[in-house]
Amino acid sequence: MDQKIAPLVEALARIERRPVTGFGAPGHNQGAAMPGGMRALLGKRVFRADVLTPKGLDDRTEGKLVLQRAHEIAAEAWGADFCRFVTGGSTQSLHTVMAAVAAPGDTILIAANAHKAERTYALATGLDAVVVPVQIDATWDIEHGVTPQALRETLAAHPNAKAFIVVSPTYYGVTSDVPALSAICHDHGIPLIVDAAWGGAFAFCTELPDDPLTKGADVAVYSAHKTMGALAQGSVIVAKGKQIDLQRLWMAYELFETTSPSVPILASLDATRRDHAVDGERIWAAVIALAEKMRRKIAGIPPLRVLTRADIPGDADLDVTKILIDVSPLGVSGYAVDDWLYENHRISMGLSDARHILAVVSVGTTRADQKALVRGLRDLVARLAADPSILPKMSAPPGIDTLSVDMVMPGPAALNGPAEMVRYEAAAGRIAAEMIAPAPPGVPRLVPGQRITAAHVAWLVANRDAGAFMMDPVDPTEATLRVVEE
């Protein structure tokens, strides 16, 4: 197929040249009416592009197959048998894939560092989500991938599992041994699903880690908006091989995708695919070169440390465009550093936690951005040396290696049954009745049905007090937790 064409982009351009007289949705009618202040803020062209796929990009019956052709071209670009563009982010994509492989009551294996998306779907549908342990680097206090041995042991304990979902790469850019994991899954007759939200560009540049589909994965989910340039919420599902029922995957996609998908998001996915298929090597060679320069400069600011390939497991690879910086030698938290950089230099980091900040270098990162971050970090280190009181001191918090996942009752029963609120500090020994997922990266540290240990309490309290953002807690003050009523 011709990777230089972009059916959705071209159809949208035709709409701009020859607008449709519409008597349906969207009600703004290509910007004829706009909410107050939006013309000055966004401009009319955003609204002109906000049309529907039928009776907009295509005819009433989608007879021109504009979206269908875009999917087929994208499937070839990623080396897949199946592709769908998703406008609800990779959360929607993961829900779609899970619906295609498991029914309510089935067991599905999920890596311990999976995003909250996988756990929320399991809770909503009654799946038995079994956690597969991941490697924990106690020196850096971060989670890596799943080892083949951990997967084998979990499958031995749960031989009826319908699929395994692994996160590769992690938020920090570290991959799992996908070939080994896929071989184990296939030996058990189940698909390997890779949450590759941060790895969508891997297929288009040889300097990046290997794309999971080329190493035996059956399904991969990419967040094309995260680093590749698509609009926010732009995600891609790809599948390959006989281990996945493509008809069921297609049906699940139709089940979850809105009947009014955002055409600007779809067109941005189409254009992103075209750019990467045609020029991905050059695009990402430049991004990698900028990231390597940033790494050298930041590593040259003592006492900061930067995660390198030498720090990760031997069977893993590292996407060097994810720059993890250990700020703990400064005696302050990553949250405080993140806030200070934003307040004093208008710099927003990709992630911060008790010990780290993360810089994600993407197609839109410029040399000016790189210089600003290096300048901001140098300024922070110098100011802290002159006056350590400018940021609150952070004592060493409990490590994530202290956390366990002990499910003592079904998640849906804990979520939907009688519950009460208790103070964080008094929650040890109780059963969680809500999900607590500090974000980013949005990895749940408590899920309904899980026994809360003293280690959980210590970790949550320390991170809360240091400035963690707990995603959507029942108590927005983060003083109390929802637990199963005794």
Side-chain angles (χ1 to χ4, degrees), residues 1-12 14 53 57-59 62-78 82-85 250 266 269-270 273-274:
M1 296 180 185
D2 186 357
Q3 293 292 333
K4 294 181 181 179
I5 66 172
L8 292 167
V9 175
E10 293 156 11
L12 187 56
R14 286 194 295 272
T53 43
L57 284 190
D58 210 327
D59 61 25
E62 297 189 353
K64 297 176 183 177
L65 304 177
V66 174
L67 182 56
Q68 292 80 355
R69 287 191 294 119
H71 286 155
E72 290 178 359
I73 295 169
E76 182 182 82
W78 267 285
F82 173 100
C83 177
R84 289 295 183 271
F85 291 162
W250 186 351
L266 290 173
L269 287 166
D270 197 24
R273 181 275 312 157
R274 178 183 59 186

Side-chain angles (χ1 to χ4, degrees), residues 50 62 64 81 85 89 145 151 153 168 197 212 237-238 312 320 366-367 373 381 419 435 463 468 480:
D50 187 37
E62 297 189 353
K64 297 176 183 177
D81 299 326
F85 291 162
L151 178 58
E153 292 174 357
S168 182
I237 302 171
V238 293
I312 65 174
V320 296
T366 66
R367 288 192 181 92
L373 178 57
V381 170
M435 184 178 295
N463 279 268
T480 58

